[in-house]
């Protein structure tokens, strides 16, 4: 269901109305497919509830006090669109601008001093302590990003057919 990818390594390239044009980066073959409607996306995300136990979102941040509120608000809006619990962990990496003041109480904060975004992400996932099974989905975004409302629901649609990485 949803947009199919080219049998080689397909990539989504652009949308036209309610259709999406896919072009494989390897073979340049293209296919046109219908985009999943917002309503159907919500039903599919709700249907995978028994398959998915939780979603953990890690947001590494280095001196992002001004940008964190918009980022976390967008992640919260995306979390409202899925039928499973979402844990958000902000990893404050060597922050000197009081970024921790921009984090709401509902969001877990962790402080590290590595000044390395990859290490901060790894620390966030380790701190969230997801069980080592396929029922926990791990997601990450940067603190200076604003994710779409459908960010997690779009990912959840791919979990039911067995996708392990997006």
């Amino acid at each position: 269901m949803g947009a199919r990818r080219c049998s080689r390594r397909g990539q989504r390239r652009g949308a036209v109305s309610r259709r999406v044009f896919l072009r494989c980066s390897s073979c340049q073959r293209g296919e046109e497919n219908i985009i999943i409607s917002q309503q159907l996306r919500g039903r599919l995300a709700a249907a995978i509830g028994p398959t998915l136990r939780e979603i953990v979102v890690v947001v590494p941040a280095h001196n992002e006090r001004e940008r964190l509120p918009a980022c976390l608000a967008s992640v919260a809006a995306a979390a409202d669109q899925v039928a499973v619990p979402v844990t958000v962990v902000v990893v404050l990496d060597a922050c000197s601008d009081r970024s921790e003041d921009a984090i709401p109480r509902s969001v877990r904060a962790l402080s590290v001093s590595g000044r390395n975004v990859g290490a901060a992400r790894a620390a966030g996932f380790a701190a969230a302590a997801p069980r080592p099974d396929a029922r926990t989905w791990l997601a990450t975004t940067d603190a200076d990003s604003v994710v779409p409302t459908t960010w997690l629901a779009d990912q959840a649609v791919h979990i039911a057919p067995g996708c392990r990485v997006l």
Side-chain angles (χ1 to χ4, degrees):
M1 210 181 253
R4 285 186 358 197
R5 301 239 184 239
C6 175
S7 59
R8 289 189 171 180
R9 285 177 35 216
Q11 293 183 342
R12 190 179 225 167
R13 288 292 177 187
V16 178
S17 182
R18 301 200 78 190
R19 297 183 178 272
V20 69
F21 186 74
L22 304 174
R23 183 172 304 278
C24 176
S25 59
S26 301
C27 66
Q28 297 302 310
R29 223 174 58 199
E31 299 175 22
E32 194 173 280
N33 295 280
I34 297 173
I35 294 175
I36 298 171
S37 74
Q38 187 82 3
Q39 185 179 23
L40 178 58
R41 183 184 297 119
R43 278 187 276 164
L44 286 171
I48 59 106
T51 305
L52 185 64
R53 183 175 37 82
E54 68 178 328
I55 297 173
V56 174
V57 178
V58 172
V59 182
H62 173 71
N63 292 337
E64 298 288 356
R65 179 185 169 110
E66 299 300 318
R67 294 183 185 104
L68 262 173
C71 173
L72 296 176
S74 71
V75 171
D80 288 343
Q81 302 300 311
V82 294
V84 295
V86 176
T87 301
V88 180
V89 180
V90 174
V91 183
L92 301 162
D93 190 5
C95 292
S96 60
D97 70 343
R98 309 254 335 134
S99 291
E100 63 273 11
D101 294 344
I103 301 172
R105 292 177 191 226
S106 60
V107 173
R108 186 171 172 189
L110 172 69
S111 292
V112 297
S113 59
R115 293 201 54 141
N116 179 295
V117 70
R121 278 192 181 96
F125 288 126
R131 296 182 190 109
D133 65 22
R135 295 180 57 202
T136 299
W137 187 258
L138 305 176
T140 186
T141 190
D142 293 326
D144 61 354
S145 299
V146 173
V147 300
T149 304
T150 60
W151 182 59
L152 293 173
D154 289 342
Q155 293 178 43
V157 167
H158 296 283
I159 296 167
C163 181
R164 304 282 292 173
V165 177
L166 280 181

